[in-house]
Amino acid sequence: MNAKKSSLAEALKMSLDVMSPSEKKVARALIADYPVAGLEPVAKLADRASVSAPTVLRMLARVGIQSYPQMQELLREEISERTTSPIDQYELRSDDSDVHTSTAAREVFVRGITNSFAAMPVSEFDRIIELLADPKRRIWAVGGRYSGLLAEYLTQHLRLLRADVHFVGRAESDKSLALLDMGPRDVLVALDYRRYQEATVTFVARAKERRATTVLLTDPWLSPAAKHADYLISSGVEAPSPFDSLVPSLALIETIVAGVVERLGDEPLGRIQAFDAWE
């Protein structure tokens, strides 16, 4: 199986630390409404970022894109990938029938985790850990049809480490009740991946309206919820089957838990010991 190239969004995030302040404005404006902002005329993207058109072109050159039309062509290709269905994936992955399933799976999963972590902005990760370890913050986690499993997994671990952590179920009533209690001291961690779920996107937008801090974990093409996210980390979804993989995302969740443990230090020990004694 061939390695997939990074999305433009991933390239932008990886290059933020070497961009000028004006170039960062362009990158963030593009990520905030991805990929729609990049399909607009260059003057409109420049206006979004409050910079000049030449600054937009300089930012693109920084990530190896030589022209605005080239960027738009890349984005159109990504839009096609965003909407790929399991049926399409059968055809895409049918050329490796001579490779044993276990070998193909190992290569895909190792590559997915490695590439995802390489593309992760460390400063973004550190800020997310800081938020999740802050005892003054109430934490909520929400996901979709499959990503909800990871949201619940994160919740179960964080609840052992600290108080005031809540999982938001898939039912609309669960989301509405959660929104009633959300405010400026709350942090919402949302997971939304390819073939994005409108209910999750809407929930993130409403949480933002309630002034909650929003964290989005998504794929390389970015959920539409990205425009409502204060912090964002993407993970690859390539799999040896026709279905997108959550393995890199699970590795990210495990790393987030490890980061919270490291930040809290010995604080959760009594809580964990009490849980073990009562179980």
Side-chain angles (χ1 to χ4, degrees), residues 127 131 137 183-189 207-208 211-215 228 230-231:
R127 179 55 181 150
L131 288 166
R137 300 272 192 171
R185 77 178 185 91
D186 292 84
V187 178
L188 171 64
V189 180
K208 196 65 209 158
R211 299 171 61 198
T213 300
T214 51
V215 175
H228 311 297
D230 295 303
Y231 302 95

Side-chain angles (χ1 to χ4, degrees), residues 1 93-101 103-104:
M1 294 187 179
R93 291 162 181 163
S94 63
D95 60 346
D96 286 339
S97 57
D98 58 327
V99 178
H100 192 275
T101 301
T103 301

